[in-house]
């Protein structure tokens, strides 16, 4: 049985906060405690705050540009004049605004994603394992949109001690047919389940997911950096308008 809950006791996080200590204290005080095989899902915003990822930016667009590796698509709302940019950032994540966050930050600043979310997750996992004496995994989550579907869901951008994929290739389905491409991204699924109990305005940025101990392993497991599909395997490198414009320019040239 899968269960998830968000412990109380995690207040506002500032630069330099010992996040492992704060999270550990909240988990120690929670009636459910922490058991072997649990997966702790931590919202990326508090990781970024603890790591001091604030930058002074009067213009959020400047910060987005600085974090952008490649522009995938951009659209300007004719009613507001605001331009939304879908970009690939330095972590290989394709998202709106490169993950730059201007909400709940000091005036005149914006918050960037963690420098290395996988390292952050591994460090937290190592600290929690040492404190509680049990093997647990840690996922760092962020809210991302999805191509072809409205709305956003929480997905994994960092992983420590967790299998991010469940490789079912080579097994068979209920009818005995071979599964050749089935590779669920269980790290994203766990993060989305955790978001159901964390919420956006509850002041509970950490959740524990219990019931998938089979996904917890060594800290040397590949991290969430292996999830984004970029480079030659990316079949959708540009938005429709951008690809069309390139095609027209190519023919004209």
């Amino acid at each position: 049985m899968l269960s998830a809950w968000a412990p109380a006791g995690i207040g506002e996080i500032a630069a330099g906060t010992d996040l492992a200590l704060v999270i550990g204290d909240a988990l120690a005080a929670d009636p459910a405690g922490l058991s072997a095989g649990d997966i702790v899902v931590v919202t990326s915003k508090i990781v970024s705050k603890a790591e001091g990822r604030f930058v002074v930016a009067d213009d959020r667009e400047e910060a987005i540009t600085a974090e952008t590796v490649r522009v995938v698509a951009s659209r300007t709302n004719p009613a507001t004049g605001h331009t939304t940019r879908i970009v690939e950032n330095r972590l290989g994540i394709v998202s709106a605004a490169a993950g730059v966050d201007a909400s709940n930050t000091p005036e005149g600043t914006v918050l960037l994603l963690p420098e290395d979310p996988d390292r952050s997750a591994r460090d937290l996992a190592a600290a929690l394992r040492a404190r509680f004496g049990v093997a647990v995994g840690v996922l760092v989550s962020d809210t991302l949109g999805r191509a072809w579907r409205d709305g956003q869901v929480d997905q994994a951008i960092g992983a420590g001690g967790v299998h991010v994929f469940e490789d079912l290739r080579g097994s068979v389905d209920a009818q005995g047919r071979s599964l050749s491409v089935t590779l669920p991204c269980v790290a994203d699924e766990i993060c989305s389940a955790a978001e159901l109990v964390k919420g956006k305005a509850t002041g509970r940025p950490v959740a524990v997911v219990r019931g998938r101990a089979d996904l917890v392993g060594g800290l040397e497991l590949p991290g969430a950096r292996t999830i984004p599909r970029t480079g030659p395997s990316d079949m959708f490198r540009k938005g429709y308008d951008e690809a069309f414009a390139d095609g027209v320019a190519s023919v004209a040239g």
Side-chain angles (χ1 to χ4, degrees), residues 92 169 173 227 232:
R169 294 171 297 184
D173 65 13
I227 298 174

Side-chain angles (χ1 to χ4, degrees), residues 1 22 24 40 61 74 81 88 91 99 121 131 133 143 164 173 213 228:
M1 181 179 70
V22 171
V40 181
E61 297 301 315
S74 63
E88 178 185 343
L91 297 171
R131 175 168 178 173
T143 304
V164 296
D173 65 13

Side-chain angles (χ1 to χ4, degrees), residues 43 72 76 94 102 104 146 154 157 161:
T43 302
V72 176
T76 300
V94 176
N104 296 315
R146 302 156 298 159
D154 265 28
I157 66 167

